[in-house]
Amino acid sequence: MLWSNWQRCGQLLQQARCKSNLPPFDHASKFKVVNPPSPEWQLGGGLPKRMKDWSEEVNYAKRKTWDFTNSENIKSSYRLLTSAIIPRPVALVSTLSSDGYPNLAPFSYFSMVSHNPPMISLSFSLSTRRPKDTRTNILANKEFTVSIISEPFIEAANATSVESPADTDEWIISGLTKENSTLVKPPFVRESAISMECELYSFQDICLPSSAEPTTTVVLGLIRQIHVRESVLSDDGTTVDPAKLRPVARLGGTTYARLLEGFDLPRLSWRAIKDDYQSLDDTKLP
């Protein structure tokens, strides 16, 4: 009976994901480096002329404003901000409860904070219905792991987002594999090419300016060790090749994205541009 229920769940998931009007996922597509959008751009050039469509379709459109100083508008902030601040990196966070129960959950409120010290951030939206297990576990045990999500196991990773009882094992739901950490107790995801062992550095509960009730908790995690599969490293052995990693990003709603193109833009040197800047500045003098 249990197995038939799992099969039924899998069928429902497949039906929800596979929409007949959408093209199939192209497994052959891989990340490639292309030229930047406007290689001819010059200092002071602003929006290039070749971007006429953007200028006409976007720059001349009316603006709609959400005033978040009005508490009524906060209700619409989630859908708006998660669709506007994109793409966001997404990772699986593994923790253990005080009783040793494992928890695995995906996070797109996740980012790098600094490289010195090596540090990442996690953000938790607090609910009055039930606390976030990951937040509770991190604050109690001060340890967690973070595993970067790649295309091949995105469905398994997404399955861990289910809201389930606290004693539910998301590792079973996803079918992903635990790998023992070296310095912390929570395991990381074996299928992930990049995993980080972290300890709690600090946390901050955040409230609305007009309230003393926390609505969000921000956690800073110190990366004690990072494990990277050599198969996703670049030829220099010190950086990750995005074409090999095949990372996944989060957009708004239930939409994810993949990384298929990138372009290089070198950082400008002041020594190289200071004379041109002075010429541009002189032309603007009255």
Side-chain angles (χ1 to χ4, degrees):
M1 183 65 179
L2 179 61
W3 174 243
S4 64
N5 288 340
W6 275 108
Q7 284 182 314
R8 179 58 181 159
C9 182
Q11 291 170 355
L12 292 173
L13 282 170
Q14 187 174 10
Q15 291 170 7
R17 290 195 298 259
C18 296
K19 299 178 181 178
S20 59
N21 61 331
L22 295 179
F25 189 90
D26 186 357
H27 292 274
S29 295
K30 291 187 177 181
F31 174 84
K32 61 183 178 181
V33 178
V34 299
N35 282 320
S38 300
E40 75 282 358
W41 188 88
Q42 299 292 324
L43 198 68
L47 183 67
K49 292 182 179 179
R50 68 161 64 190
M51 301 302 174
K52 181 180 179 181
D53 289 347
W54 176 268
S55 179
E56 293 178 350
E57 296 174 11
V58 178
N59 282 9
Y60 288 100
K62 293 177 63 177
R63 293 186 186 272
K64 181 177 179 179
T65 300
W66 283 259
D67 182 3
F68 288 148
T69 63
N70 182 343
S71 60
E72 287 298 312
N73 288 331
I74 297 296
K75 297 176 182 178
S76 62
S77 64
Y78 174 79
R79 293 187 64 190
L80 177 63
L81 293 179
T82 55
S83 63
I85 303 174
I86 58 172
R88 299 187 304 281
V90 58
L92 284 167
V93 178
S94 166
T95 58
L96 294 175
S97 71
S98 297
D99 297 328
Y101 287 105
N103 181 269
L104 188 66
F107 279 80
S108 68
Y109 285 11
F110 147 72
S111 187
M112 174 179 169
V113 173
S114 69
H115 68 278
N116 186 21
M119 189 173 293
I120 57 94
S121 66
L122 298 174
S123 179
F124 303 84
S125 297
L126 305 184
S127 170
T128 54
R129 289 186 295 116
R130 59 168 288 183
K132 295 286 187 181
D133 295 329
T134 302
R135 174 189 180 274
T136 300
N137 295 346
I138 290 176
L139 298 189
N141 299 322
K142 300 177 172 51
E143 293 182 336
F144 60 100
T145 68
V146 176
S147 297
I148 301 299
I149 299 174
S150 293
E151 294 171 16
F153 59 96
I154 179 56
E155 284 87 358
N158 180 69
T160 67
S161 64
V162 63
E163 290 195 17
S164 57
D167 59 355
T168 303
D169 189 342
E170 292 83 8
W171 290 91
I172 295 177
I173 292 174
S174 68
L176 293 171
T177 313
K178 299 175 187 175
E179 183 160 339
N180 291 333
S181 297
T182 306
L183 301 177
V184 301
K185 291 182 179 179
F188 56 85
V189 178
R190 177 175 295 177
E191 288 81 359
S192 175
I194 301 175
S195 294
M196 292 162 270
E197 299 186 29
C198 304
E199 66 178 23
L200 176 64
Y201 181 82
S202 66
F203 75 94
Q204 178 69 52
D205 285 334
I206 299 175
C207 311
L208 288 168
S210 58
S211 171
E213 186 71 24
T215 58
T216 299
T217 298
V218 176
V219 163
L220 297 184
L222 186 67
I223 304 172
R224 300 189 63 191
Q225 282 192 348
I226 181 169
H227 310 283
V228 183
R229 298 281 190 188
E230 293 182 359
S231 57
V232 300
L233 289 174
S234 302
D235 292 339
D236 63 9
T238 62
T239 58
V240 174
D241 184 338
K244 299 174 182 177
L245 180 62
R246 296 160 65 185
V248 172
R250 187 71 191 274
L251 306 181
T254 60
T255 306
Y256 290 85
R258 61 198 304 208
L259 184 64
L260 292 181
E261 287 189 351
F263 50 86
D264 293 330
L265 288 174
R267 182 172 297 184
L268 298 180
S269 161
W270 174 246
R271 180 178 296 179
I273 71 166
K274 63 179 181 179
D275 291 340
D276 292 333
Y277 167 78
Q278 188 61 56
S279 298
L280 288 170
D281 194 40
D282 289 345
T283 62
K284 295 181 179 180
L285 293 175

